[in-house]
Amino acid sequence: MSWKEEYKAKVKTAEEAVKAIKSGNRVVLGHAVGEPVYIVQKMVENYEAYKDVEVVNMVAMGPSGFAKPEMAGHFRVNSLFLGGGTRKCVEEGRGDFTPTFFYQVPGLWKTELPVDVAIINVTPPDEDGNCSFGVSCDYTKPAAEAAKLVIAQVNAKMPRTLGNSFINVKDIDIIVEHDVPIVELPLPKIGEIEEKIGANCASLIKDGDTLQLGIGAIPDAVLHFLKEKKDLGIHSEMISDGIVDLYNAGVVTCAKKNFKTGKMVIGFLMGTQRLYDFANNNPMVDMNPIDFVNDPRIIGQNDNLVSVNSALQVDFMGQVCSESIGLRQFSGIGGQVDFVRGAAFSKGGRSILAFPATADVKGTVVSKIVPLLTEGSTVTTSRCDVDYVVTEFGVAKLKGKTLRERAKALIAVAAPQFREELEKERKLRFKEA
Ligand code: COA
């Protein structure tokens, strides 16, 4: 049978497609803005047919109807990175969180978390019957490869990204044709604090460096301060709109990359339609599975790799919590440690953890630089991995510093109103001989 005949034979409605999901199945959803929201919605509407379907994903950008209280017993969330749609359900015990490095997720699909069903969102096939994973290749392609059953939304609005980002029609079991724009993430608001942090981070970035930038206002603010740089490269689990501006300004060329020269190596895209249009059929945008993009040993093959990520709290020793507030799991590890370690493997590499010096917790301003992490908080980046910590008040280089020196360096970038109190704690902790 030709792929075209196979394609025709596999087309079903979404209502028919979700009937192939069985009670007790583990279902992995396409990641982030690659979630096939339409089919997921039909799965949720069919909830009465299911008992204990485990829904696994990371950044959930859809409405996450499967996580609602009335879905208990029908669906159980197993999140590898909590977000607005899934946090409450885990807090209330109707779901769970599994800690993992992002680069190890494809390995989980093969061993510890075998996939029964992958629901993916792809482009229509090209002349060879290959569909592109578009905005999300990361764990989505490996999930489709590992799954016993692949349900694909074939979506003409999905940008056709290149790289190791394709699945052939022969490897899809059920096709649901549904054209719908990809979810857009509004541009983050950049205020005075983010600007200062951005400028401090940019002071650590040199011409010819290869960058990884996480999501949010701080990475975007960093990009604003890179307009004068030359020949920057990209090797990043994700990119957002800011990269398009730097590309258009001739700053991002990837010309000085010693690994995959001329290519931006990326796992997923998350931004506005402008970003998706930029990525469409763009040979420079090299999309890959996350066990390639985020493997610290692969990242480390780039010379001068600089990673920029954020955090919630850091203690005097340089232990960084980026994902929980006490025992409350807030987000996940994502690719933070993958890139911190990858940057350490990189010749000339640097890793930056950048965040505002304070947080507003229900109307009370607290310091994010603390003597001890809040009880129950997890250590995301360990004190042996941490390199630069950046706030709006400056840059603290921690790698190679003693515990005593680290505490001093961190207090120097803490918010001024907390420095006296932090200094008192430091003196109690580190005796002067
Ligand atoms: N104590 C108590 N609460 C704190 C806090 C602290 N020290 N710091 C932040 N918070 C609260 C904020 O008040 C806010 O609460 P709200 O949701 O009720 O408003 C919440 O935590 C989020 O803080 P914010 O600073 O707005 O987070 P963010 O959206 O900038 O995200 C991280 C920051 C660290 C949570 C996010 O980058 C992350 O999850 N990182 C881990 C994974 C990672 O780095 N991956 C790699 C790149 S994708």
Side-chain angles (χ1 to χ4, degrees):
M1 224 196 307
S2 74
W3 73 258
K4 285 185 182 162
E5 288 163 328
E6 273 204 42
Y7 184 97
K8 268 193 208 138
K10 288 175 178 178
V11 172
K12 289 190 178 171
T13 64
E15 289 82 355
E16 288 165 344
V18 298
K19 286 187 187 148
I21 300 167
K22 301 293 170 210
S23 290
N25 277 177
R26 174 175 293 121
V27 178
V28 174
L29 308 183
H31 186 219
V33 291
E35 183 179 323
V37 174
Y38 174 66
I39 303 179
V40 173
Q41 181 55 31
K42 296 295 168 196
M43 176 183 82
V44 172
E45 285 168 17
N46 197 39
Y47 71 98
E48 282 178 325
Y50 312 125
K51 198 167 169 277
D52 294 330
V53 167
E54 183 183 329
V55 180
V56 189
N57 66 353
M58 289 184 69
V59 177
M61 294 298 293
S64 302
F66 48 82
K68 300 263 153 62
E70 57 274 25
M71 293 297 148
H74 301 287
F75 298 106
R76 188 161 181 90
V77 168
N78 182 0
S79 172
L80 314 183
F81 191 104
L82 291 177
T86 47
R87 200 173 289 129
K88 193 157 180 270
C89 119
V90 170
E91 268 170 34
E92 292 175 356
R94 291 175 285 105
D96 288 291
F97 170 77
T98 301
T100 177
F101 295 125
F102 200 178
Y103 87 95
Q104 291 184 350
V105 173
L108 297 180
W109 301 154
K110 290 188 207 142
T111 49
E112 291 84 358
L113 298 178
V115 184
D116 294 307
V117 184
I119 312 184
I120 62 173
N121 194 353
V122 295
T123 62
D126 60 18
E127 61 276 15
D128 298 316
N130 292 319
C131 305
S132 167
F133 279 90
V135 292
S136 162
C137 183
D138 50 31
Y139 75 57
T140 309
K141 178 175 156 106
E145 285 168 350
K148 294 186 192 119
L149 183 85
V150 177
I151 303 176
Q153 177 176 329
V154 169
N155 182 359
K157 306 270 185 187
M158 178 64 89
R160 183 171 178 272
T161 58
L162 309 177
N164 181 7
S165 185
F166 291 91
I167 183 168
N168 195 273
V169 164
K170 289 177 185 291
D171 297 318
I172 298 173
D173 298 293
I174 300 175
I175 290 167
V176 176
E177 292 179 322
H178 189 74
D179 299 339
V180 63
I182 302 304
V183 175
E184 293 185 73
L185 193 74
L187 296 175
K189 289 207 177 75
I190 300 175
E192 210 181 308
I193 292 175
E194 288 80 12
E195 293 249 331
K196 284 184 182 156
I197 297 171
N200 288 337
C201 291
S203 73
L204 298 171
I205 296 169
K206 303 184 200 129
D207 292 345
D209 281 348
T210 290
L211 308 182
Q212 175 261 334
L213 292 157
I215 187 177
I218 290 170
D220 258 53
V222 177
L223 294 172
H224 281 205
F225 290 91
L226 299 179
K227 292 185 182 133
E228 306 304 317
K229 308 274 180 196
K230 292 189 182 66
D231 287 322
L232 296 179
I234 300 292
H235 184 117
S236 191
E237 74 187 46
M238 64 155 289
I239 57 166
S240 51
D241 284 53
I243 297 296
V244 183
D245 296 321
L246 282 188
Y247 171 81
N248 289 338
V251 174
V252 168
T253 64
C254 297
K256 292 276 159 71
K257 284 179 78 182
N258 60 312
F259 178 74
K260 288 237 179 188
T261 313
K263 304 270 184 198
M264 301 186 200
V265 177
I266 299 160
F268 69 103
L269 310 172
M270 192 143 72
T272 70
Q273 190 58 42
R274 188 165 162 257
L275 173 70
Y276 309 149
D277 291 341
F278 169 77
N280 188 40
N281 279 318
N282 185 341
M284 196 175 179
V285 177
D286 193 51
M287 296 288 282
N288 287 276
I290 213 69
D291 50 350
F292 177 80
V293 180
N294 275 32
D295 184 329
R297 295 160 294 193
I298 299 283
I299 297 167
Q301 289 184 39
N302 292 282
D303 290 350
N304 305 311
L305 189 290
V306 183
S307 72
V308 183
N309 291 295
S310 198
L312 294 171
Q313 231 180 21
V314 56
D315 73 9
F316 278 178
M317 295 193 276
Q319 302 193 105
V320 183
C321 168
S322 308
E323 51 175 308
S324 79
I325 298 163
L327 276 173
R328 179 176 171 242
Q329 187 69 39
F330 181 77
S331 56
I333 302 92
Q336 179 166 122
V337 180
D338 302 345
F339 275 92
V340 167
R341 291 191 175 157
F345 282 131
S346 157
K347 192 173 151 206
R350 285 138 276 156
S351 72
I352 301 171
L353 290 164
F355 49 85
T358 59
D360 186 334
V361 183
K362 293 183 191 127
T364 306
V365 176
V366 299
S367 174
K368 290 185 158 204
I369 292 172
V370 286
L372 300 170
L373 295 180
T374 302
E375 191 179 359
S377 292
T378 187
V379 174
T380 311
T381 293
S382 81
R383 62 186 187 168
C384 300
D385 287 306
V386 73
D387 190 5
Y388 287 96
V389 168
V390 171
T391 70
E392 65 272 39
F393 299 104
V395 174
K397 166 84 175 165
L398 301 187
K399 190 166 266 183
K401 292 240 161 58
T402 64
L403 293 178
R404 186 189 304 274
E405 289 167 337
R406 285 168 182 234
K408 275 191 191 162
L410 285 165
I411 293 169
V413 300
Q417 71 267 36
F418 291 105
R419 285 187 200 160
E420 200 182 316
E421 193 187 318
L422 290 168
E423 193 54 32
K424 264 193 223 152
E425 290 290 334
R426 187 186 72 78
K427 285 188 174 141
L428 285 174
R429 172 94 164 267
F430 298 100
K431 304 273 179 291
E432 302 284 346

